[in-house]
Amino acid sequence: MGLTHTSSTKQGLKDLFNIEKTKEEDYVIALAGNPNTGKSTVFNALTGLHQHTGNWPGKTVVNSQGKYVHKDKEFIIVDLPGTYSLLASSVEEIVARDFICFGKPDVTVVVLDATCIERNLNLLLQVLEITGNVVACVNLMDEAKSKKIRINIEALSKELGIPVVPTTARSNIGMNILKDSIYDLCTNKIHTCPLQIQYPTDIEEELKQITPMLHSIFMDEINIKWLALRLLDGDESLINSIGKFLDYDLGI
Ligand SMILES: Nc1nc2c(ncn2[C@@H]2O[C@H](COP(=O)(O)OP(=O)(O)OP(=O)(O)O)[C@@H](O)[C@H]2O)c(=O)[nH]1
Ligand SMILES: [Mg+2]
């Protein structure tokens, strides 16, 4: 690795994602999830008509943003493209990964399909490796109920170490509790303790070797363990994005 830190400017970072903050203290919320889990339905239920649609800068992927006020705060919510993972094998995955990783949303809401929650947990666990500021929204609870699927929300929340909110977005059920959880996390009224994946010993040993060096370069600009894992995996797209968003040439 050629470690030549050019500069680590974060200036204009929000501009790179076309975020339209009206006040500096507005909170930015990302909405992620597998395709067809009801993200846009949740987005519509939260924002009503206060929406704006464009494209992600330089991409042909739709970028929908909306706003809502809850209690005394204003929230800007960004509806990310549906993805099964953040391993950046498609433009949608790159957009979602870059926004969660470099756009630094205050909270990322991961929308899960209550009828096939195991499959959806894959993406959630990947998001938790990037940020702990996550609320899980278990949507389609009505469908789960009609299929006689029962989900122990409390146990799931305890296991994941984050708030978990059951919703039926199409009928506007659970939206206020979702807003409360987002608010509480943004305003530090609650703290998460996100589940950490333990990798096999040889991988953990490799990580121990490279994380101190990465930490000295990036400090808290990016989750170091996750970055190290992606580098071990040879994720060139992430190296490109580090150049683009953190102005740093990893020179690999
Ligand atoms: N029964 C039920 N249907 C829902 C619920 N939420 C969303 N839907 C329906 O599920 C379908 C997909 O919803 P979308 O909001 O478009 O899902 P999405 O995650 O944005 O989909 P992509 O953007 O394509 O990934 C639509 O037909 C919604 O009406 C819910 O809570 N219950
Ligand atoms: Mg959608």
Side-chain angles (χ1 to χ4, degrees), residues 155-191:
L156 191 59
S157 172
K158 209 167 163 203
E159 186 77 20
L160 295 169
I162 57 170
V164 178
V165 182
T167 64
T168 300
R170 200 162 68 177
S171 310
N172 222 359
I173 296 172
M175 290 302 129
N176 261 330
I177 298 170
L178 182 60
K179 284 182 187 171
D180 280 346
S181 290
I182 295 169
Y183 180 97
D184 288 349
L185 201 46
C186 283
T187 55
N188 292 320
K189 286 193 173 53
I190 54 171
H191 298 277

Short mmCIF file of all heavy atoms in Angstrom, two decimals, residues 155-191:
data_model
loop_
_atom_site.label_atom_id
_atom_site.label_comp_id
_atom_site.label_asym_id
_atom_site.label_seq_id
_atom_site.Cartn_x
_atom_site.Cartn_y
_atom_site.Cartn_z
N ALA A 155 -36.63 -9.52 21.53
CA ALA A 155 -35.44 -10.39 21.50
C ALA A 155 -34.52 -9.99 20.34
O ALA A 155 -33.30 -9.98 20.48
CB ALA A 155 -35.86 -11.85 21.37
N LEU A 156 -35.13 -9.65 19.21
CA LEU A 156 -34.35 -9.24 18.04
C LEU A 156 -33.57 -7.96 18.35
O LEU A 156 -32.38 -7.83 18.03
CB LEU A 156 -35.30 -9.02 16.85
CG LEU A 156 -34.70 -8.84 15.47
CD1 LEU A 156 -33.87 -10.05 15.06
CD2 LEU A 156 -35.81 -8.58 14.44
N SER A 157 -34.25 -7.03 19.00
CA SER A 157 -33.63 -5.76 19.36
C SER A 157 -32.46 -5.99 20.32
O SER A 157 -31.39 -5.40 20.18
CB SER A 157 -34.68 -4.85 19.99
OG SER A 157 -34.07 -3.70 20.51
N LYS A 158 -32.67 -6.88 21.27
CA LYS A 158 -31.63 -7.19 22.25
C LYS A 158 -30.42 -7.84 21.58
O LYS A 158 -29.27 -7.48 21.82
CB LYS A 158 -32.20 -8.12 23.31
CG LYS A 158 -31.54 -7.96 24.65
CD LYS A 158 -32.34 -8.67 25.72
CE LYS A 158 -31.45 -8.85 26.94
NZ LYS A 158 -31.86 -9.93 27.79
N GLU A 159 -30.72 -8.78 20.70
CA GLU A 159 -29.65 -9.51 19.99
C GLU A 159 -28.84 -8.58 19.08
O GLU A 159 -27.62 -8.66 19.03
CB GLU A 159 -30.31 -10.63 19.16
CG GLU A 159 -29.37 -11.58 18.48
CD GLU A 159 -28.77 -12.61 19.43
OE1 GLU A 159 -29.34 -12.85 20.52
OE2 GLU A 159 -27.74 -13.15 19.07
N LEU A 160 -29.55 -7.69 18.37
CA LEU A 160 -28.86 -6.79 17.41
C LEU A 160 -28.26 -5.58 18.11
O LEU A 160 -27.36 -4.93 17.56
CB LEU A 160 -29.86 -6.32 16.34
CG LEU A 160 -30.41 -7.40 15.40
CD1 LEU A 160 -31.58 -6.84 14.59
CD2 LEU A 160 -29.31 -7.91 14.47
N GLY A 161 -28.79 -5.23 19.28
CA GLY A 161 -28.28 -4.07 20.02
C GLY A 161 -28.73 -2.74 19.45
O GLY A 161 -28.08 -1.71 19.64
N ILE A 162 -29.86 -2.74 18.75
CA ILE A 162 -30.40 -1.51 18.15
C ILE A 162 -31.92 -1.50 18.32
O ILE A 162 -32.52 -2.55 18.57
CB ILE A 162 -30.07 -1.44 16.63
CG1 ILE A 162 -30.62 -2.68 15.90
CG2 ILE A 162 -28.58 -1.30 16.39
CD1 ILE A 162 -30.56 -2.58 14.38
N PRO A 163 -32.56 -0.32 18.17
CA PRO A 163 -34.03 -0.33 18.23
C PRO A 163 -34.62 -1.08 17.03
O PRO A 163 -34.11 -0.97 15.92
CB PRO A 163 -34.40 1.17 18.12
CG PRO A 163 -33.14 1.93 18.34
CD PRO A 163 -32.01 1.02 17.98
N VAL A 164 -35.67 -1.84 17.29
CA VAL A 164 -36.37 -2.57 16.23
C VAL A 164 -37.85 -2.17 16.32
O VAL A 164 -38.46 -2.30 17.38
CB VAL A 164 -36.21 -4.09 16.38
CG1 VAL A 164 -37.00 -4.83 15.30
CG2 VAL A 164 -34.73 -4.50 16.33
N VAL A 165 -38.39 -1.68 15.21
CA VAL A 165 -39.76 -1.17 15.21
C VAL A 165 -40.61 -1.95 14.21
O VAL A 165 -40.30 -1.98 13.02
CB VAL A 165 -39.79 0.34 14.83
CG1 VAL A 165 -41.21 0.88 14.87
CG2 VAL A 165 -38.87 1.15 15.72
N PRO A 166 -41.67 -2.62 14.69
CA PRO A 166 -42.56 -3.32 13.75
C PRO A 166 -43.51 -2.33 13.07
O PRO A 166 -44.05 -1.44 13.75
CB PRO A 166 -43.35 -4.27 14.67
CG PRO A 166 -43.32 -3.63 16.01
CD PRO A 166 -42.10 -2.76 16.10
N THR A 167 -43.68 -2.46 11.75
CA THR A 167 -44.56 -1.53 11.04
C THR A 167 -45.40 -2.24 9.98
O THR A 167 -45.03 -3.31 9.49
CB THR A 167 -43.77 -0.41 10.30
OG1 THR A 167 -42.95 -1.01 9.30
CG2 THR A 167 -42.91 0.40 11.24
N THR A 168 -46.52 -1.61 9.66
CA THR A 168 -47.28 -1.95 8.45
C THR A 168 -47.43 -0.62 7.72
O THR A 168 -48.41 0.12 7.91
CB THR A 168 -48.65 -2.57 8.80
OG1 THR A 168 -48.41 -3.76 9.57
CG2 THR A 168 -49.44 -2.95 7.55
N ALA A 169 -46.41 -0.30 6.93
CA ALA A 169 -46.31 1.06 6.37
C ALA A 169 -47.49 1.39 5.48
O ALA A 169 -47.95 2.53 5.45
CB ALA A 169 -45.00 1.19 5.60
N ARG A 170 -48.01 0.38 4.76
CA ARG A 170 -49.12 0.64 3.84
C ARG A 170 -50.35 1.16 4.57
O ARG A 170 -51.15 1.90 4.01
CB ARG A 170 -49.45 -0.62 3.04
CG ARG A 170 -50.21 -0.31 1.78
CD ARG A 170 -50.16 -1.43 0.80
NE ARG A 170 -50.90 -2.60 1.26
CZ ARG A 170 -51.05 -3.69 0.53
NH1 ARG A 170 -50.50 -3.77 -0.67
NH2 ARG A 170 -51.72 -4.72 0.98
N SER A 171 -50.48 0.78 5.84
CA SER A 171 -51.63 1.26 6.63
C SER A 171 -51.19 2.29 7.66
O SER A 171 -51.93 2.59 8.60
CB SER A 171 -52.29 0.08 7.35
OG SER A 171 -52.55 -0.96 6.47
N ASN A 172 -49.97 2.79 7.50
CA ASN A 172 -49.47 3.84 8.40
C ASN A 172 -49.34 3.38 9.85
O ASN A 172 -49.41 4.19 10.77
CB ASN A 172 -50.42 5.05 8.33
CG ASN A 172 -49.65 6.34 8.29
OD1 ASN A 172 -48.41 6.33 8.33
ND2 ASN A 172 -50.35 7.44 8.24
N ILE A 173 -49.15 2.10 10.06
CA ILE A 173 -49.05 1.58 11.43
C ILE A 173 -47.57 1.51 11.85
O ILE A 173 -46.74 0.97 11.11
CB ILE A 173 -49.72 0.19 11.54
CG1 ILE A 173 -51.22 0.32 11.28
CG2 ILE A 173 -49.46 -0.45 12.92
CD1 ILE A 173 -51.95 -1.00 11.16
N GLY A 174 -47.29 2.08 13.01
CA GLY A 174 -45.93 2.02 13.56
C GLY A 174 -45.07 3.22 13.19
O GLY A 174 -43.93 3.32 13.65
N MET A 175 -45.60 4.13 12.39
CA MET A 175 -44.78 5.24 11.90
C MET A 175 -44.35 6.21 13.01
O MET A 175 -43.25 6.73 12.99
CB MET A 175 -45.51 6.01 10.79
CG MET A 175 -45.63 5.23 9.52
SD MET A 175 -44.00 4.75 8.89
CE MET A 175 -44.28 3.03 8.65
N ASN A 176 -45.26 6.43 13.97
CA ASN A 176 -44.88 7.36 15.04
C ASN A 176 -43.80 6.77 15.93
O ASN A 176 -42.90 7.48 16.39
CB ASN A 176 -46.10 7.75 15.87
CG ASN A 176 -46.60 9.11 15.42
OD1 ASN A 176 -45.82 9.95 14.97
ND2 ASN A 176 -47.90 9.32 15.50
N ILE A 177 -43.87 5.46 16.16
CA ILE A 177 -42.84 4.82 16.98
C ILE A 177 -41.51 4.85 16.23
O ILE A 177 -40.45 5.09 16.81
CB ILE A 177 -43.25 3.37 17.34
CG1 ILE A 177 -44.54 3.41 18.17
CG2 ILE A 177 -42.16 2.65 18.13
CD1 ILE A 177 -45.17 2.06 18.39
N LEU A 178 -41.58 4.66 14.91
CA LEU A 178 -40.36 4.75 14.09
C LEU A 178 -39.75 6.15 14.20
O LEU A 178 -38.54 6.31 14.42
CB LEU A 178 -40.69 4.39 12.63
CG LEU A 178 -39.51 4.40 11.66
CD1 LEU A 178 -38.45 3.39 12.07
CD2 LEU A 178 -39.99 4.11 10.23
N LYS A 179 -40.61 7.16 14.10
CA LYS A 179 -40.13 8.55 14.22
C LYS A 179 -39.51 8.79 15.60
O LYS A 179 -38.49 9.46 15.72
CB LYS A 179 -41.27 9.53 14.00
CG LYS A 179 -41.68 9.71 12.55
CD LYS A 179 -42.78 10.76 12.48
CE LYS A 179 -43.38 10.87 11.10
NZ LYS A 179 -44.57 11.72 11.07
N ASP A 180 -40.15 8.25 16.64
CA ASP A 180 -39.61 8.41 18.00
C ASP A 180 -38.23 7.76 18.11
O ASP A 180 -37.31 8.35 18.70
CB ASP A 180 -40.53 7.74 19.04
CG ASP A 180 -41.74 8.59 19.38
OD1 ASP A 180 -41.75 9.80 19.04
OD2 ASP A 180 -42.70 8.04 19.96
N SER A 181 -38.07 6.57 17.56
CA SER A 181 -36.77 5.87 17.65
C SER A 181 -35.69 6.65 16.92
O SER A 181 -34.56 6.79 17.42
CB SER A 181 -36.87 4.47 17.05
OG SER A 181 -37.65 3.67 17.87
N ILE A 182 -36.03 7.16 15.73
CA ILE A 182 -35.05 7.95 14.96
C ILE A 182 -34.68 9.20 15.76
O ILE A 182 -33.49 9.54 15.89
CB ILE A 182 -35.64 8.34 13.57
CG1 ILE A 182 -35.89 7.09 12.72
CG2 ILE A 182 -34.73 9.33 12.86
CD1 ILE A 182 -36.72 7.34 11.46
N TYR A 183 -35.69 9.85 16.31
CA TYR A 183 -35.47 11.08 17.09
C TYR A 183 -34.58 10.78 18.30
O TYR A 183 -33.60 11.49 18.56
CB TYR A 183 -36.83 11.62 17.55
CG TYR A 183 -36.77 12.88 18.38
CD1 TYR A 183 -36.96 14.13 17.80
CD2 TYR A 183 -36.54 12.83 19.76
CE1 TYR A 183 -36.90 15.29 18.55
CE2 TYR A 183 -36.47 13.98 20.52
CZ TYR A 183 -36.66 15.21 19.91
OH TYR A 183 -36.59 16.35 20.66
N ASP A 184 -34.91 9.72 19.03
CA ASP A 184 -34.16 9.39 20.24
C ASP A 184 -32.69 9.08 19.93
O ASP A 184 -31.79 9.44 20.70
CB ASP A 184 -34.80 8.20 20.97
CG ASP A 184 -36.11 8.58 21.63
OD1 ASP A 184 -36.40 9.80 21.71
OD2 ASP A 184 -36.84 7.67 22.06
N LEU A 185 -32.46 8.43 18.80
CA LEU A 185 -31.07 8.09 18.43
C LEU A 185 -30.32 9.34 17.99
O LEU A 185 -29.17 9.57 18.37
CB LEU A 185 -31.10 7.03 17.31
CG LEU A 185 -29.87 6.18 17.10
CD1 LEU A 185 -29.31 5.64 18.40
CD2 LEU A 185 -30.19 5.02 16.16
N CYS A 186 -30.98 10.18 17.20
CA CYS A 186 -30.34 11.42 16.71
C CYS A 186 -30.00 12.35 17.87
O CYS A 186 -28.97 13.02 17.85
CB CYS A 186 -31.28 12.17 15.76
SG CYS A 186 -31.37 11.46 14.12
N THR A 187 -30.87 12.40 18.86
CA THR A 187 -30.66 13.36 19.95
C THR A 187 -29.98 12.72 21.16
O THR A 187 -30.00 13.28 22.26
CB THR A 187 -32.02 13.97 20.39
OG1 THR A 187 -32.91 12.90 20.73
CG2 THR A 187 -32.65 14.81 19.28
N ASN A 188 -29.39 11.53 20.94
CA ASN A 188 -28.62 10.84 21.98
C ASN A 188 -29.43 10.48 23.22
O ASN A 188 -28.88 10.33 24.31
CB ASN A 188 -27.41 11.68 22.43
CG ASN A 188 -26.39 11.77 21.32
OD1 ASN A 188 -26.14 10.78 20.62
ND2 ASN A 188 -25.84 12.95 21.11
N LYS A 189 -30.75 10.34 23.04
CA LYS A 189 -31.57 9.91 24.19
C LYS A 189 -31.40 8.41 24.38
O LYS A 189 -31.63 7.88 25.47
CB LYS A 189 -33.03 10.26 23.96
CG LYS A 189 -33.27 11.75 24.13
CD LYS A 189 -34.74 12.10 24.22
CE LYS A 189 -34.93 13.56 24.58
NZ LYS A 189 -34.20 14.48 23.70
N ILE A 190 -31.07 7.72 23.29
CA ILE A 190 -30.74 6.30 23.40
C ILE A 190 -29.41 6.04 22.69
O ILE A 190 -29.00 6.82 21.82
CB ILE A 190 -31.83 5.37 22.81
CG1 ILE A 190 -32.16 5.76 21.36
CG2 ILE A 190 -33.08 5.37 23.66
CD1 ILE A 190 -33.06 4.77 20.65
N HIS A 191 -28.76 4.96 23.08
CA HIS A 191 -27.50 4.58 22.45
C HIS A 191 -27.61 3.12 22.01
O HIS A 191 -28.28 2.33 22.66
CB HIS A 191 -26.34 4.75 23.42
CG HIS A 191 -26.18 6.18 23.84
ND1 HIS A 191 -25.50 7.10 23.09
CD2 HIS A 191 -26.65 6.84 24.92
CE1 HIS A 191 -25.56 8.27 23.69
NE2 HIS A 191 -26.26 8.15 24.81
#
